[in-house]
């Protein structure tokens, strides 16, 4: 029987993670190693990212284990036929993640080249978790970052995430709802995100509700009778302004109406005038329909009387920048009881060696620049450490924070950056520097490699 796993599990990984783990175990390469996860470069459409996904990663690491079914499946793979049975019967059967994790808190603005997560664990264990860490942190960070931009464009008007039906799979829809809330959205349409992550849920009606009735007026009347002052009526099935007149003639007082097509600036103005003239000043106007941060900014700057935005595809898929160039690389390994820094030197993909820290240096109350340096070096003056130890020996050090707390922290952290860094068009670059000690370590590792 195939079991559905709503969260990542032992086989939520790539084959080569297992082949490498088996090789490490067979040849006794089980000393501790550190891997770091970061984004190599920002997408062209992004000037910053919002870190997200850590809590999901810690849940996964605490519960990571191989079931009998998992082990039997792996044992039967042609690629693993030559692996000694001890790997399956002893190593995998008793496997638990017992490493340490340092990470940037969810909701923190981050930039290219800055480690978001560092895992220090026995080499096979640190290797095995790569796929889940990358997919979880990168997707959550991608969507939280997009949400922050959309919310910034809305200038205080609420934004709801409506993209579950366009997400890349049902689980992605729920996860997008979580990340979007961290980035500043007030609600999601995805019930699974509401149930699983306690994200507030929001929804209206579809055009099919109106089309299934003999008249639009009857559709509105029934929906209002059923949902009372929580009703949100969709106006654009046939004629938006005529639908608004139906609302007035019926004497309805919906909580809000939604416009999903047409000239949203013109229609919102005309609907607002109709409603205000009829005394429906408390009925809000919500809009949706292929919105993104740029379109929202245009509507806000034009003074559209819009009270909130529903954003679907552009948010849940981050359609303008659908992937991050995230990597998870070995930075140090235990040799002779000592952690030795290592690096990669391939063209265009060079990495810095050693376990690192990121410090955010403030100028007054505003963030001025970041410094990436070695974990054991002194912090620069005015620098605040971003990476904190969140897991020791495979167990969390702190309880999970509520998403509301993470959202509040995200908003406060973004407000510490100058407007020219946060703006949508032609933003200023935020400085990220590498410490002299880190650069010297990289030179030493490279020189040792060249000398053989």
């Amino acid at each position: 029987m195939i079991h559905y796993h709503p969260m990542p599990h032992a086989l939520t990984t790539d084959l080569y993670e297992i082949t490498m783990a088996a090789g490490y175990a067979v040849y006794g390469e089980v000393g501790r190693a550190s891997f770091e996860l970061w984004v190599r470069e920002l997408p062209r459409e992004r000037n910053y990212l919002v870190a997200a996904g850590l809590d999901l990663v810690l849940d996964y690491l605490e519960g990571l284990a191989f079931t009998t079914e998992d082990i039997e499946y792996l044992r039967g793979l042609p690629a693993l036929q030559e692996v000694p049975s001890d790997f399956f019967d002893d190593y995998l059967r008793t496997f638990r993640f017992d490493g340490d994790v340092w990470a940037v808190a969810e909701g923190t603005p981050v930039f290219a080249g800055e480690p978001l997560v560092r895992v220090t664990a026995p080499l096979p264990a640190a290797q095995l978790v790569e796929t889940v860490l990358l997919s979880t942190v990168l997707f959550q960070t991608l969507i939280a970052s997009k949400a922050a931009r959309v919310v910034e464009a809305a200038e205080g008007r609420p934004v709801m995430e409506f993209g579950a039906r366009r997400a890349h799979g049902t689980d992605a829809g729920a996860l997008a709802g979580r990340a979007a809330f961290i980035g500043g959205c007030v609600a999601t349409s995805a019930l699974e995100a509401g149930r699983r992550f306690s994200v507030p849920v929001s929804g209206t009606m579809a055009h099919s509700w109106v089309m299934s009735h003999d008249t639009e007026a009857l559709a509105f009347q029934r929906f209002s009778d059923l949902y009372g002052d929580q009703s949100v009526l969709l106006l654009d099935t046939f004629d938006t302004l005529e639908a608004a007149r139906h609302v007035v003639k019926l004497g309805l007082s919906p909580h809000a109406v939604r416009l999903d097509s047409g000239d949203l600036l013109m229609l919102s103005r005309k609907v607002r005038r109709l409603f205000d003239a009829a005394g429906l000043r408390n009925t809000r106007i919500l809009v949706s329909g292929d919105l993104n941060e740029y379109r929202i900014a245009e509507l806000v700057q034009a003074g559209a009387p819009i009270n909130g935005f529903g954003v679907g595809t552009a948010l849940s898929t981050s359609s303008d920048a659908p992937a991050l160039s995230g990597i998870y690389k070995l930075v140090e390994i235990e040799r002779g009881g000592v952690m030795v820094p290592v690096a990669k030197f391939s063209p265009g993909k060079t990495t810095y060696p050693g376990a690192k820290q990121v410090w955010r240096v403030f100028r007054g109350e505003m963030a001025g620049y970041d410094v990436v340096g070695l974990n054991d070096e002194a912090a620069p003056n005015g620098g605040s450490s971003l990476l904190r130890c969140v897991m020791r020996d495979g167990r969390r050090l702190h309880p999970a924070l509520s998403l509301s707390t993470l959202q509040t922290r995200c908003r406060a952290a973004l407000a510490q950056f100058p407007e020219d860094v946060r703006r949508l068009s032609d933003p200023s670059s935020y400085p990220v520097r590498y410490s002299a000690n880190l650069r010297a370590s990289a030179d030493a590792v490279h020189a040792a490699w060249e000398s053989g």
Side-chain angles (χ1 to χ4, degrees):
M1 179 181 294
I2 297 175
H3 297 287
Y4 170 67
H5 297 272
M7 296 295 284
H9 55 99
L11 295 190
T12 310
T13 190
D14 294 300
L15 174 61
Y16 83 160
E17 311 291 9
I18 298 292
T19 60
M20 286 188 287
Y24 297 144
V26 167
Y27 291 109
E29 298 289 344
V30 293
R32 291 173 76 77
S34 294
F35 286 74
E36 289 179 344
L37 186 159
W38 71 96
V39 174
R40 196 186 299 277
E41 58 185 23
L42 295 178
R44 186 182 61 183
E45 300 82 1
R46 302 287 180 272
N47 199 44
Y48 64 87
L49 300 173
V50 172
L54 176 62
D55 190 55
L56 302 177
V57 163
L58 298 180
D59 277 349
Y60 159 74
L61 294 176
E62 277 197 320
L64 183 56
F66 289 84
T67 67
T68 299
E69 289 176 334
D70 295 337
I71 294 169
E72 291 310 306
Y73 169 75
L74 292 172
R75 195 193 300 271
L77 291 177
L80 302 178
Q81 290 303 297
E82 302 302 319
V83 174
S85 60
D86 287 354
F87 173 69
F88 302 102
D89 297 331
D90 297 333
Y91 184 80
L92 291 187
R93 198 169 299 279
T94 61
F95 178 86
R96 294 294 184 275
F97 180 81
D98 58 356
D100 302 339
V101 177
W102 289 65
V104 172
E106 292 193 81
T108 302
V110 291
F111 302 88
E114 299 182 341
L116 307 185
V117 179
R118 181 172 71 250
V119 172
T120 301
L123 181 56
Q127 185 74 69
L128 274 172
V129 302
E130 175 183 12
T131 301
V132 169
L133 264 65
L134 280 170
S135 62
T136 301
V137 171
L138 295 181
F139 180 69
Q140 289 282 285
T141 298
L142 181 73
I143 303 306
S145 306
K146 180 69 170 181
R149 287 168 56 84
V150 172
V151 170
E152 179 90 14
E155 295 188 5
R157 295 162 181 80
V159 177
M160 293 147 283
E161 185 273 317
F162 280 178
R165 67 187 60 198
R166 302 290 175 79
H168 298 153
T170 53
D171 202 44
L175 293 171
R178 177 189 189 275
F181 188 76
I182 292 174
C185 290
V186 300
T188 176
S189 65
L191 289 176
E192 183 64 7
R195 181 178 70 169
R196 207 150 112 192
F197 305 118
S198 298
V199 178
V201 294
S202 176
T204 61
M205 61 164 63
H207 295 103
S208 55
W209 173 265
V210 177
M211 295 165 67
S212 68
H213 288 78
D214 290 337
T215 67
E216 190 171 47
L218 179 59
F220 288 170
Q221 185 69 65
R222 283 183 169 179
F223 204 82
S224 297
D225 288 346
L226 187 58
Y227 295 108
D229 60 8
Q230 295 300 307
S231 301
V232 180
L233 305 179
L234 181 59
L235 298 188
D236 71 318
T237 304
F238 306 114
D239 181 301
T240 299
L241 297 180
E242 186 62 24
R245 295 185 187 101
H246 288 322
V247 173
V248 172
K249 290 175 183 177
L250 290 167
L252 304 179
S253 299
H255 170 69
V257 296
R258 178 163 67 98
L259 315 180
D260 191 52
S261 62
D263 184 335
L264 297 178
L265 175 60
M266 178 270 290
L267 289 172
S268 63
R269 286 173 171 169
K270 291 187 175 182
V271 170
R272 183 76 274 158
R273 284 197 292 269
L274 275 170
F275 283 177
D276 286 353
L280 296 178
R281 291 180 175 81
N282 292 328
T283 295
R284 298 158 58 82
I285 297 176
L286 310 178
V287 300
S288 56
D290 298 322
L291 295 179
N292 58 29
E293 61 266 48
Y294 301 106
R295 182 65 181 129
I296 289 173
E298 290 174 357
L299 290 168
V300 170
Q301 290 162 16
I306 292 170
N307 302 107
F309 301 92
V311 185
T313 306
L315 179 47
S316 63
T317 68
S318 185
S319 54
D320 63 325
L324 295 175
S325 59
I327 53 178
Y328 179 85
K329 295 299 180 185
L330 181 67
V331 296
E332 63 179 9
I333 188 166
E334 187 176 7
R335 290 175 179 156
V338 177
M339 297 299 275
V340 177
V342 296
K344 179 180 175 181
F345 300 116
S346 54
K349 295 188 176 181
T350 299
T351 62
Y352 280 96
K356 299 170 202 68
Q357 180 57 269
V358 182
W359 294 278
R360 182 147 294 158
V361 180
F362 287 84
R363 293 167 173 160
E365 296 183 355
M366 302 299 288
Y369 60 93
D370 287 1
V371 177
V372 181
L374 294 171
N375 186 54
D376 57 1
E377 66 178 282
N381 290 334
S384 177
S385 302
L386 296 190
L387 288 156
R388 308 289 174 86
C389 188
V390 294
M391 176 171 277
R392 185 78 70 188
D393 298 325
R395 292 292 174 262
R396 289 172 180 266
L397 297 182
H398 313 285
L401 296 174
S402 71
L403 291 191
S404 294
T405 298
L406 295 178
Q407 184 190 80
T408 299
R409 286 187 173 186
C410 178
R411 288 175 174 171
L414 283 170
Q416 292 175 323
F417 287 83
E419 185 279 332
D420 63 334
V421 172
R422 303 194 315 266
R423 67 190 177 205
L424 301 181
S425 301
D426 193 29
S428 299
S429 296
Y430 180 78
V432 176
R433 305 172 183 175
Y434 294 89
S435 74
N437 289 338
L438 180 57
R439 293 196 302 270
S441 176
D443 290 342
V445 170
H446 191 265
W449 172 77
E450 285 187 322
S451 65

